[in-house]
Amino acid sequence: MTIQNIISQLGEGMLKTTILFACTLVIALPLGLVVAFGRMSKLSLFSKNFKPIRLLTQIYISVMRGTPLMLQIMVVYFGPYYLFGVKINSSYQIYAAIIAFSINYAAYFAEIYRGGIESMPTGQYEAAKILGFTKTQTFFRIIFPQVIKRILPSVTNEVITLVKDTSLAFVIAYAEMFTIAKRIAAKETSMIPFVAAGIFYYVFNLIVALVMNKLEKNMSYYK
Amino acid sequence: MKMLEAKDIKKSFGDNEVLKNISFEVNKGDVLAIIGPSGSGKSTLLRSITQLETIDSGEINICGDNLVKTDSFGNAVYAGKKERAAIARHLGLVFQNFNLFPHFSVMRNITEAQRKVLGRSKDSSEEIARKLLKKMGLENKENAYPCELSGGQQQRVSIARALALSPEILLFDEPTSALDPELTVEILKVIRELAAEKMTMIVVTHEMLFAESVADRVIFMDGGYIIENGTPEEVFRKSNNERTKAFLGKLTGERSGR
Ligand SMILES: Nc1ncnc2c1ncn2[C@@H]1O[C@H](COP(=O)(O)OP(=O)(O)OP(=O)(O)O)[C@@H](O)[C@H]1O
Ligand SMILES: [Mg+2]
């Protein structure tokens, strides 16, 4: 294998890792908010204490957080075949990975959102109500912008974990950075691909940290 | 002209009956001061009028519109959603701890509801905001954020925010209790000016001298009841009620003890 060949293969791995990372964030961040709404839903059926939507999201969150992500990836990937006999081909890998990561991270983000929303003082809601804002206006104009500021540090932690977690997609042979580095290392009996992979994840996280830091700074104009 | 009419308001939190048979009226241009010991139900009363709480029974009419009445079974029946929203538009409320929106500039705190609730244009809402800021002595603060202001300045912004929606009645729940004495003076001055302009106001306050000098009427509440409802002279000077005298006596005692 030539050096160029190694680099181009690693480059492909980086691209796939980045795709998985970006798609997961784009889906899981909004999905997490929807899940958080479900988790805080006040809708009750039959009796005051039976809140079906809340119960369902609670179960979903606890399963997502209580079982290994690796297992979830495998279930999403192999599930269609084992359960319904649907033939899976390798082009499904990327979708399976994105779906599994998104529903897993949405659960974590949901809990972060919920914590942020519940930490908002009731006075903000009351002031908004007195001024005549609708519930939707109140949430998106008054509450949510402040929630974002409050939860940014926890979101940063989660995003950095996500960068590292993308390597778990190897279980379904999704050729992300880590899978490729492992393959080349075995073939060439060389440490260099691992070192390259390590540097890649490190630099990736450095960029994430810088971006999040910038966001936090941008929001530091108020307390 | 009657701006507010409350009849036999009752309100409980669980077993705790907080408002028991509250009835009173407020006429246009009047300043009503509500005084009373902690826990007597003053905030709950203001919150019931402004729809932050719902009452259990009784009747409330605001600017001639019925907000809530009581059916023959003794249960409160509220007006429809649209009517309630329209009635709420007649009222402004100033909170003890300001509740400004910290992520908005002073200007946006005052313009946001004008634009999104009343549908005013950016220009006209900013013009209104600037006039009010000038009146509050804050003309150079429109780009500041609430965290950069003193408590007294924040409270003046919150008064401007309420006034920007042109309420018929402005309600204050202990507007100076979170402030140092010297900042208290700023706020009382603003309320005094509004009173001179014949703004209809209901002010819950612990500032007895202020209540005595500014209010047209004073209500003394204790244990969920209105014990006194009269002119400042009647309540502060001529009351023969033991509870009133005890409350006022304790306060003057505190004051001289300082
Ligand atoms: N949301 C609530 N849930 C339960 N009890 C409440 C609630 N709000 C007020 N109370 C109770 O109602 C009573 C009256 O409270 P309220 O706040 O109206 O008194 P207040 O006269 O405004 O007192 P203060 O001078 O301390 O502000 C108190 O016993 C209080 O504990
Ligand atoms: Mg109170």
Side-chain angles (χ1 to χ4, degrees):
Chain A
M1 232 190 225
T2 63
I3 287 286
Q4 261 173 349
N5 205 335
I6 292 176
I7 289 176
S8 91
Q9 284 198 32
L10 284 176
E12 200 181 313
M14 287 181 200
L15 184 66
K16 288 195 162 178
T17 295
T18 311
I19 290 174
L20 178 56
F21 170 83
C23 291
T24 301
L25 276 193
V26 167
I27 298 171
L29 281 172
L31 185 61
L33 187 57
V34 175
V35 176
F37 283 140
R39 179 68 183 75
M40 295 180 294
S41 155
K42 294 195 179 82
L43 183 88
S44 59
L45 265 187
F46 311 123
S47 91
K48 253 199 174 139
N49 295 321
F50 181 59
K51 304 199 171 86
I53 296 179
R54 182 181 295 198
L55 189 67
L56 279 176
T57 44
Q58 231 166 335
I59 294 170
Y60 158 70
I61 291 170
S62 95
V63 170
M64 286 297 134
R65 301 211 300 178
T67 59
L69 174 55
M70 198 189 287
L71 179 70
Q72 294 165 19
I73 300 168
M74 289 169 74
V75 167
V76 172
Y77 185 60
F78 296 112
Y81 178 65
Y82 290 158
L83 290 173
F84 311 110
V86 181
K87 267 253 176 308
I88 41 178
N89 59 25
S90 60
S91 70
Y92 177 54
Q93 279 163 353
I94 177 153
Y95 298 109
I98 291 173
I99 292 169
F101 273 86
S102 297
I103 58 175
N104 176 278
Y105 271 81
Y108 285 92
F109 286 139
E111 286 299 271
I112 294 177
Y113 284 128
R114 182 170 69 99
I117 292 169
E118 287 178 348
S119 78
M120 285 296 293
T122 52
Q124 292 287 302
Y125 291 94
E126 291 181 351
K129 184 170 183 212
I130 293 288
L131 292 168
F133 290 108
T134 63
K135 287 213 167 109
T136 317
Q137 284 174 331
T138 302
F139 185 77
F140 286 105
R141 292 179 180 278
I142 313 293
I143 304 299
F144 195 55
Q146 299 184 56
V147 167
I148 291 179
K149 182 184 162 92
R150 287 173 184 228
I151 65 175
L152 218 48
S154 328
V155 171
T156 305
N157 281 339
E158 233 25 76
V159 173
I160 286 174
T161 310
L162 171 62
V163 172
K164 294 183 279 183
D165 271 357
T166 52
S167 63
L168 290 174
F170 83 90
V171 288
I172 55 170
Y174 177 65
E176 42 62 57
M177 183 65 186
F178 181 69
T179 310
I180 297 216
K182 206 174 58 170
R183 195 188 294 158
I184 301 174
K187 212 180 205 168
E188 307 282 319
T189 53
S190 159
M191 277 297 286
I192 291 174
F194 286 145
V195 175
I199 292 173
F200 167 73
Y201 287 115
Y202 185 77
V203 171
F204 200 141
N205 270 329
L206 213 57
I207 295 171
V208 167
L210 282 176
V211 169
M212 298 308 274
N213 212 328
K214 180 95 178 74
L215 284 179
E216 273 178 49
K217 280 232 173 70
N218 280 351
M219 280 189 246
S220 64
Y221 65 87
Y222 72 90
K223 276 205 242 12
Chain B
M1 191 179 128
K2 267 185 229 164
M3 299 295 277
L4 179 102
E5 194 176 14
K7 285 184 206 159
D8 293 332
I9 298 182
K10 290 197 174 75
K11 163 85 188 165
S12 303
F13 291 109
D15 295 338
N16 183 8
E17 203 177 2
V18 176
L19 299 179
K20 308 162 184 166
N21 271 325
I22 298 289
S23 302
F24 68 97
E25 290 172 3
V26 180
N27 288 320
K28 193 171 172 64
D30 272 4
V31 178
L32 167 68
I34 302 180
I35 60 172
S38 183
S40 56
K42 307 180 296 295
S43 295
T44 306
L45 178 57
L46 284 203
R47 294 169 59 84
S48 301
I49 296 167
T50 51
Q51 302 183 44
L52 292 176
E53 302 283 357
T54 50
I55 60 171
D56 302 330
S57 72
E59 184 175 335
I60 300 175
N61 298 307
I62 292 164
C63 301
D65 296 324
N66 177 253
L67 169 66
V68 51
K69 54 182 185 255
T70 301
D71 65 14
S72 46
F73 303 103
N75 297 316
V77 184
Y78 273 84
K81 205 174 166 207
K82 277 222 178 84
E83 288 83 15
R84 288 205 309 272
I87 290 169
R89 297 271 55 77
H90 296 312
L91 307 176
L93 176 62
V94 173
F95 298 86
Q96 179 176 342
N97 49 0
F98 333 130
N99 290 334
L100 289 175
F101 304 130
H103 59 310
F104 288 164
S105 65
V106 163
M107 177 53 89
R108 191 148 173 220
N109 262 284
I110 305 174
T111 54
E112 189 76 357
Q114 292 189 67
R115 298 185 58 194
K116 305 299 167 195
V117 177
L118 301 186
R120 284 183 193 150
S121 72
K122 186 168 190 286
D123 287 347
S124 67
S125 55
E126 285 184 355
E127 197 184 314
I128 290 169
R130 286 205 182 90
K131 267 190 203 141
L132 287 167
L133 283 173
K134 183 146 187 252
K135 188 166 165 182
M136 298 294 146
L138 295 169
E139 49 269 79
N140 53 352
K141 293 291 184 197
E142 64 176 73
N143 294 318
Y145 283 85
C147 62
E148 300 163 348
L149 303 178
S150 74
Q153 290 171 329
Q154 290 190 47
Q155 190 60 298
R156 280 181 280 157
V157 173
S158 93
I159 295 172
R161 178 176 73 173
L163 287 173
L165 302 180
S166 344
E168 304 277 344
I169 311 174
L170 191 52
L171 299 91
F172 297 79
D173 192 358
E174 299 192 29
T176 62
S177 292
L179 302 176
D180 295 338
E182 63 270 27
L183 301 181
T184 298
V185 177
E186 294 177 9
I187 301 305
L188 297 183
K189 188 170 153 257
V190 168
I191 300 175
R192 222 178 272 275
E193 282 164 14
L194 291 170
E197 292 165 21
K198 287 290 159 205
M199 178 87 207
T200 311
M201 290 185 282
I202 303 177
V203 187
V204 171
T205 184
H206 288 298
E207 302 289 331
M208 295 307 145
L209 292 174
F210 170 77
E212 192 173 354
S213 63
V214 175
D216 299 288
R217 297 198 70 82
V218 177
I219 282 177
F220 168 60
M221 283 180 73
D222 193 8
Y225 291 104
I226 290 182
I227 309 289
E228 301 272 357
N229 180 354
T231 62
E233 169 93 3
E234 285 163 357
V235 176
F236 288 107
R237 307 272 165 227
K238 299 194 178 142
S239 174
N240 288 320
N241 187 290
E242 285 309 317
R243 278 202 267 182
T244 313
K245 283 201 287 197
F247 175 69
L248 294 172
K250 205 165 121 226
L251 282 179
T252 39
E254 268 171 21
R255 210 178 287 144
S256 57
R258 261 207 276 198

